[in-house]
Amino acid sequence: MTAIPLVLVHGHPFDHTMWRPQIEAFSASRRVVAPDLRGYGAAVPPAPVERFERFAEDIEALLDELDVTACVLAGLSMGGQIAMDCYRLFPERIRGLVLADTFPAADTPEGARVRHATADRLLREGMRGYADEVLEKMVAPYASPEVKAHVHGMMTATRPESAAAALRARAARPDHRELLTRVTVPALVAVGADDTYTPVADARAMHAALPDSQLHVFERAAHLPNLERPAEFNTVLGEFLAKVDARS
């Protein structure tokens, strides 16, 4: 049985190290691709994204470059929205879809206004004040000091120009609720029980829309269960990967 490559798409405003526990857990048994998105981390080119679709186009170009013809695609938060966009653009390459702590709907006018206002703030003030404010929404207040330090470090290391550009691009992204009803591959929907950004209700709605999906709610986790509950997350992801490998 061939182990299908796993592609991990990080959220905002993070970088590929968000997936460190999963990279460490799965690299020995399959190819794992965990890029920094355009404008984030050490990504080349470092230029910020100018439209949301560019993230998915970059991932497709990377898969071409690495000769990855098929993969399981996993994304968290903004990464989940990018994963949905990837499925819209190149579904034939995706054998399984992991959507963690994300939602498919386009932004409401108010949601878009808040993203633009936040983008303006980041350009004006930088990342630190924002990172301080949202840290205990990204991870639960009871998360370990090590996890909090990692998440805060990723946020403060992100260039404000890149974070602002991604926020503006997300405000104009397409609605993918109807797309989910047409997904033909197995899907795993994951969410932290204490996630206030993308609550369990959003995950249940995605699970209901996807034709072949399973839902896992991680207790004692907020928006980043892969970091907050890495052993449990890896167990659930590993079982899903085995299921996809067997089908393929």
Side-chain angles (χ1 to χ4, degrees):
M1 185 166 60
T2 303
I4 298 172
L6 172 63
V7 178
L8 299 166
V9 187
H10 69 76
H12 162 91
F14 308 129
D15 58 47
H16 80 278
T17 68
M18 188 203 89
W19 294 110
R20 188 180 292 150
Q22 290 69 51
I23 296 168
E24 292 173 353
F26 295 104
S27 290
S29 58
R30 71 183 63 239
R31 189 173 191 183
V32 177
V33 179
D36 284 329
L37 295 170
R38 176 179 292 255
Y40 291 83
V44 178
V49 73
E50 74 286 355
R51 53 190 175 82
F52 191 72
E53 292 81 1
R54 177 54 69 92
F55 285 128
E57 292 166 359
D58 284 349
I59 290 171
E60 185 173 28
L62 178 62
L63 297 182
D64 287 343
E65 181 183 331
L66 298 177
D67 196 27
V68 175
T69 57
C71 66
V72 172
L73 185 62
L76 186 145
S77 192
M78 180 179 80
Q81 293 167 339
I82 294 168
M84 293 180 235
D85 220 34
C86 289
Y87 192 87
R88 177 177 69 87
L89 294 173
F90 49 94
E92 70 283 351
R93 298 176 87 150
I94 299 170
R95 298 290 181 268
L97 201 55
V98 181
L99 301 174
D101 299 83
T102 191
F103 68 98
D107 274 358
T108 63
E110 173 61 14
R113 187 196 68 76
V114 170
R115 288 201 199 277
H116 283 285
T118 304
D120 292 340
R121 176 194 173 185
L122 297 181
L123 291 174
R124 188 172 61 246
E125 300 177 8
M127 297 298 294
R128 181 164 293 277
Y130 170 80
D132 290 347
E133 283 179 24
V134 303
L135 178 60
E136 291 192 349
K137 289 181 70 178
M138 293 295 187
V139 296
Y142 48 77
S144 74
E146 294 79 14
V147 167
K148 286 184 179 180
H150 180 193
V151 173
H152 192 269
M154 286 190 292
M155 290 194 285
T156 55
T158 296
R159 293 179 286 276
E161 298 79 10
S162 297
L167 285 166
R168 299 194 202 284
R170 287 176 80 188
R173 73 186 183 281
D175 191 308
H176 284 326
R177 285 175 291 185
E178 193 274 332
L179 173 76
L180 292 187
T181 68
R182 296 186 281 109
V183 171
T184 60
V185 298
L188 168 63
V189 179
V191 67
D194 295 331
D195 190 345
T196 57
Y197 284 121
T198 53
V200 173
D202 289 353
R204 293 195 191 282
M206 288 194 297
H207 172 50
L210 288 155
D212 178 11
S213 70
Q214 61 191 82
L215 171 67
H216 191 91
V217 180
F218 294 86
E219 299 298 332
R220 293 193 59 76
H223 195 54
L224 294 167
N226 71 301
L227 284 173
E228 297 171 86
R229 308 282 292 173
E232 183 182 355
F233 192 95
N234 289 349
T235 295
V236 173
L237 178 56
E239 290 171 353
F240 178 74
L241 292 170
K243 171 183 168 183
V244 177
D245 288 345
R247 286 196 180 193
S248 300

